[in-house]
Every structure is written in structure tokens, then in C-alpha cells.
Amino acid sequence: MSEKGKPDQSTAEAEPKKKKSKLPIVIGFVVLLLLSGLIVGKVMLGRHGGKNKGDKARVEEEVGAKIALDEFLVNLSGGEGHYLKITLAIGVAKGLTEEKIKEDNAPIRDAIISTLCSKKLEQLATDTGKDKLKEELKARINKELGGEKIVKVYYTEFATQ
């Protein structure tokens, strides 16, 4: 019986070893699937805008009147003789009238000129630089006006030399 017991014990011992050897593989596979899912989710959110997509729709809804401003011609920073010729339009918050914004024409133009004169040609050469300038202009004008009156800045002309 001891001889029969030994094969039974070796068979019994072999079965748990097989289960233990499969467990790390299964756990590793599950972890791999989870990580892959997280990476794919992050990439998909990044491509489609994720949270930003809703923000853009909200901003477009809040834009009221769009007011064209006169042309700006400024020397760029750096002392190399470069200049910027730009024409802008500003999108104001809903509820504000064009007349109300035109009352603040001087502070608006001052904020724009100050911001533009501080830029170098290299900063305005890329799309990213131009987008950043829009955000800076919006923030500077809103600071001068004392509130979130300007929602969006649009370029209608943009030339550097």
C-alpha cells in the first residue's frame, strides 16, 4: 500500500505544482490587459480632445458679439528691426454690447500693443506661438477690463517681417 500511496502522493503533489505555475501567468496576463486598456484609453482621449472637446463647445456658446479692431503695426522685441502687422477681432461674452466694449477701446488697444511689442519674431513663427499669443492677449485684455469680458481672440490679418 505504501507503494500505491507513493504514486498517489506524487500525482497529488504534481497537480498543485501545475496550478501554482499557471497562476503567475494568468495574473501577468490580466495585468498586461489592464495596462494595455489604460494606454489605449489615454491615447484615445488625447486624440479626440477628451475634456477639451467639451470646453471648446462651451466657449463657442459663450461668445457673443465679435468686434473688429483697427490694424496694429508694432516693432517686435529684439532690436533687429522686425515688425508685426496684425488685425484682430475679439469675441465678447454674451450680454455685452459692442458699444460697451468700444467705450474701453483705449485700454484694450494698450493691452494689445504692450503684449505684441514684448514678442520676438521667433515666438510668432509657429502655430503654437500664435495660439499662445491669442491666450496672452485675451488674458491681458481681461485683466485691463477687470473681468472675463473677452472670450476669444481672432486673427484677421497677420504678417511679420
Side-chain angles (χ1 to χ4, degrees):
M1 198 152 162
S2 62
E3 289 180 17
K4 288 181 182 178
K6 287 182 182 176
D8 288 338
Q9 288 176 354
S10 64
T11 306
E13 289 174 4
E15 287 179 19
K17 286 182 182 177
K18 287 182 182 176
K19 287 182 182 178
K20 287 181 183 178
S21 65
K22 287 183 181 178
L23 185 60
I25 293 172
V26 171
I27 291 173
F29 184 71
V30 170
V31 169
L32 182 64
L33 282 175
L34 288 173
L35 288 174
S36 298
L38 289 173
I39 292 170
V40 168
K42 178 70 174 173
V43 169
M44 295 303 286
L45 285 176
R47 280 190 185 160
H48 296 296
K51 186 177 176 182
N52 294 335
K53 190 175 183 181
D55 290 345
K56 286 182 183 178
R58 184 180 57 83
V59 168
E60 289 176 9
E61 290 175 0
E62 293 178 357
V63 176
K66 294 168 189 72
I67 302 165
L69 301 176
D70 293 332
E71 178 180 276
F72 295 87
L73 180 61
V74 298
N75 290 321
L76 294 173
S77 178
E80 298 171 9
H82 296 294
Y83 67 88
L84 170 66
K85 178 182 172 186
I86 188 170
T87 307
L88 303 169
I90 52 175
V92 298
K94 283 191 174 183
L96 289 176
T97 62
E98 188 172 343
E99 291 78 29
K100 176 64 179 156
I101 293 299
K102 288 201 177 198
E103 289 175 9
D104 294 323
N105 188 43
I108 291 171
R109 288 188 64 82
D110 180 63
I112 292 170
I113 290 169
S114 298
T115 303
L116 295 176
C117 287
S118 69
K119 298 295 170 191
K120 293 185 177 185
L121 181 63
E122 298 82 30
Q123 293 173 302
L124 304 175
T126 65
D127 289 338
T128 305
K130 290 174 186 164
D131 290 341
K132 187 177 177 185
L133 177 61
K134 284 182 181 182
E135 292 303 316
E136 287 180 41
L137 289 169
K138 182 177 92 169
R140 182 80 182 262
I141 295 168
N142 283 330
K143 182 180 175 186
E144 285 293 320
L145 299 180
E148 295 296 316
K149 295 180 180 180
I150 307 304
V151 178
K152 192 150 176 123
V153 174
Y154 306 94
Y155 297 138
T156 54
E157 285 184 53
F158 195 103
T160 58
Q161 182 176 357

